[in-house]
Amino acid sequence: MTSIDAKLARISNELKVHIAEDSGVPKNIRRGAVDAINLLISCGKPLDLRISSAINILADLSDDTNLPMESWSIIMHILSDLEIALKEVTNSQG
């Protein structure tokens, strides 16, 4: 397992525990978190595309007016981690 894979596994777990399985988070946001998790752990698409797609999903979720503030903070932290991971992937490909 590479460091990027380990980072994505950690991010996926954080999303799962703090957003996808939190009954205090609206259902549409939990569903979006599950979609982002599935993208991050799938192996069918290129790594940079998976990370970018997850970033787009989470960015859209962060704009939802029903998103609790604690969940917004977690999503913003995860977005930051994903941006760093995306830069690492694109730098290693170039």
Side-chain angles (χ1 to χ4, degrees):
M1 179 180 278
T2 67
S3 65
I4 295 289
D5 291 330
K7 185 179 285 192
L8 294 182
R10 181 189 55 77
I11 290 169
S12 296
N13 187 53
E14 192 173 344
L15 263 175
K16 180 181 175 186
V17 169
H18 296 291
I19 306 292
E21 294 180 345
D22 184 349
S23 62
V25 174
K27 186 184 271 187
N28 65 315
I29 295 168
R30 287 184 286 161
R31 193 175 321 116
V34 169
D35 291 344
I37 291 167
N38 290 335
L39 276 168
L40 292 174
I41 62 174
S42 71
C43 295
K45 296 179 182 177
L47 188 55
D48 57 341
L49 180 60
R50 293 176 8 221
I51 296 171
S52 296
S53 298
I55 288 171
N56 288 335
I57 289 171
L58 294 174
D60 287 345
L61 293 178
S62 72
D63 289 335
D64 192 305
T65 56
N66 295 320
L67 181 66
M69 186 54 79
E70 314 83 52
S71 300
W72 180 85
S73 298
I74 292 166
I75 287 175
M76 296 311 287
H77 174 72
I78 290 171
L79 280 171
S80 175
D81 288 348
L82 287 173
E83 290 286 346
I84 292 167
L86 183 59
K87 286 180 185 177
E88 290 174 14
V89 168
T90 54
N91 287 341
S92 70
Q93 291 175 349

